[in-house]
Amino acid sequence: MKEISIYAGTFDPISHGHLNIIERAARLFDQVIVAIAKNPSKQPLFSLEERVSLVEQSCAHLTNVQAVGFSGLLADFAKQHQAKTLIRGIRGSDDVEYEIQLAQLNNQLAGELETIFFPPSVTWRYLSSTMIREIYKHHGDIAPFVPEVVMQALVNKEKL
Ligand code: COA
């Protein structure tokens, strides 16, 4: 049976930090589903459709990676897709407590669902999507932090 793993997040927008984790996960699992949460509470800059498309384009070189939007519980989404593992990035000690809580909850909600934690690559350790949006809002250069397709999408947004 294929080992399917899910990497969930808001991805508003996808960054090189996310992509680094996706590429490493794609080497370990038969299939990786990048699950993009609708997450209206975060008032995303990009719509769900845009975020799915940006993840798809950024992962085009990875044949076993698929981008799928979702709303509702991640545990239910994992069950629907017969995934046995969730992937989460832990960037430092600040992330640990919350991530353990989330992993335990997801395991209770969907029995046998395990969470695997990935340390960040040194380069992207301090990155977050909020920081990227903040730099962009103040006209700073975000090119080093995001895939080229995200830069293009932002340029297109400015033209609207
Ligand atoms: N590189 C760069 N940034 C990273 C990163 C990495 N390796 N790892 C995490 N981040 C950033 C994210 O971009 C995000 O930034 P932001 O807050 O500025 O947007 C931040 O760190 C937090 O990431 P994360 O914890 O993944 O939050 P998220 O909002 O992206 O995703 C869900 C959280 C979607 C996984 C979670 O809310 C969820 O499962 N929701 C569904 C409902 C549910 O089942 N809840 C749990 C049961 S109660």
Side-chain angles (χ1 to χ4, degrees):
M1 202 170 120
K2 273 191 170 181
E3 278 295 328
I4 302 169
S5 194
I6 291 177
Y7 180 42
T10 311
F11 302 102
D12 186 42
I14 182 169
S15 69
H16 282 314
H18 296 130
L19 198 52
N20 172 262
I21 289 185
I22 296 167
E23 285 169 345
R24 287 154 65 198
R27 287 198 284 272
L28 292 181
F29 296 95
D30 296 316
Q31 197 189 347
V32 175
I33 299 175
V34 183
I36 299 129
K38 195 165 180 196
N39 226 341
S41 59
K42 278 198 169 180
Q43 296 182 310
L45 172 67
F46 288 102
S47 70
L48 179 62
E49 292 70 26
E50 288 171 324
R51 285 178 280 138
V52 171
S53 167
L54 290 172
V55 171
E56 248 164 19
Q57 293 175 70
S58 306
C59 298
H61 60 298
L62 302 165
T63 52
N64 60 340
V65 174
Q66 189 189 355
V68 182
F70 82 103
S71 54
L73 286 176
L74 180 56
D76 289 339
F77 180 86
K79 276 194 256 180
Q80 270 166 31
H81 290 270
Q82 282 141 22
K84 291 209 185 90
T85 54
L86 298 175
I87 293 159
R88 296 289 292 167
I90 287 200
R91 290 163 299 172
S93 53
D94 284 356
D95 286 346
V96 172
E97 204 52 47
Y98 169 71
E99 289 300 334
I100 289 176
Q101 216 179 8
L102 207 61
Q104 285 175 342
L105 269 172
N106 281 322
N107 183 269
Q108 273 188 316
L109 290 167
E112 295 184 20
L113 184 60
E114 294 295 344
T115 299
I116 296 179
F117 297 119
F118 276 55
S121 69
V122 175
T123 326
W124 310 119
R125 178 162 176 190
Y126 297 105
L127 214 51
S128 82
S129 297
T130 299
M131 281 181 202
I132 291 169
R133 290 196 304 273
E134 185 78 1
I135 297 168
Y136 170 72
K137 204 168 79 187
H138 296 289
H139 312 290
D141 181 18
I142 59 163
F145 311 123
V146 295
E148 175 62 32
V149 287
V150 172
M151 291 303 294
Q152 199 50 56
L154 287 167
V155 170
N156 292 344
K157 253 193 196 307
E158 277 168 12
K159 284 186 195 155
L160 291 177

